Amino acid sequence: MTFSEDEIRDLVECLYTSIDRRDWATVQTLVSPRLVVEVAGPPVLGWQEWQAHLEEFTRGFSDGRHAIEEILVDGSHGITRFTFTGTHDGEFRGIPATGTKVAVAGIHIDRFQGDTLVAHRGQLDLHGLLQQLGSL
C-alpha cells in the first residue's frame, strides 16, 4: 500500500509527538518489530535498543521536545530537520543534572512500509549538546 505525501508527513508528526509525550505504546504501534535503527553510526539497533536510547534522553531531559522545522517526503521516506530542546534535569551519559537549557539541531530519515516505520536514521549534534552541558 502506497501512502500519500500528507499521510507520510502525518506519520512522522505522530511518531515524534508520541516520543515527546513518552507514549511508548503509541510509538510501538508505529514501528515494525524488525525496525532497523542507525543513530550516530554503528552499531545498528533494533526497536528495544532504540527505545532505551530514547529513554536515556527522557531521564536526562524530562521536558525534552523535537521542534520540527521541516519535513520533506520522498516516496516512503520522511526526512525531518528539527531542534531538540530541553532542560538537563536528570543524569545523561554519566553527567549529573546541571539545570542547563539546551537546544541542538538534528536530522531524521524515516522509512515507512504502509503505516509502519521500518528504518530510522538519525543524527543529532551530540558534540554541541555535551558542550552546552559543560562536559567538553
Side-chain angles (χ1 to χ4, degrees), residues 68-82:
I68 295 175
E69 295 156 10
E70 184 176 17
I71 300 174
L72 302 172
V73 176
D74 183 14
S76 63
H77 290 76
I79 300 102
T80 309
R81 185 174 57 86
F82 66 93

Side-chain angles (χ1 to χ4, degrees), residues 26-98:
T26 298
V27 174
Q28 193 162 2
T29 66
L30 294 170
V31 303
S32 167
R34 294 184 304 275
L35 177 69
V36 174
V37 175
E38 297 176 59
V39 287
V44 173
L45 309 174
W47 162 237
Q48 291 180 341
E49 294 89 1
W50 189 40
Q51 183 178 4
H53 175 79
L54 295 170
E55 288 174 346
E56 177 185 27
F57 274 86
T58 300
R59 287 188 302 275
F61 306 91
S62 66
D63 63 348
R65 296 286 179 265
H66 294 84
I68 295 175
E69 295 156 10
E70 184 176 17
I71 300 174
L72 302 172
V73 176
D74 183 14
S76 63
H77 290 76
I79 300 102
T80 309
R81 185 174 57 86
F82 66 93
T83 299
F84 176 81
T85 60
T87 307
H88 182 221
D89 55 5
E91 183 177 318
F92 177 75
R93 304 261 166 119
I95 304 165
T98 62

Side-chain angles (χ1 to χ4, degrees), residues 37-41 82 107-109 120-124:
V37 175
E38 297 176 59
V39 287
F82 66 93
I107 294 176
H108 290 152
I109 302 171
H120 168 83
R121 289 189 175 109
Q123 289 292 322
L124 182 73

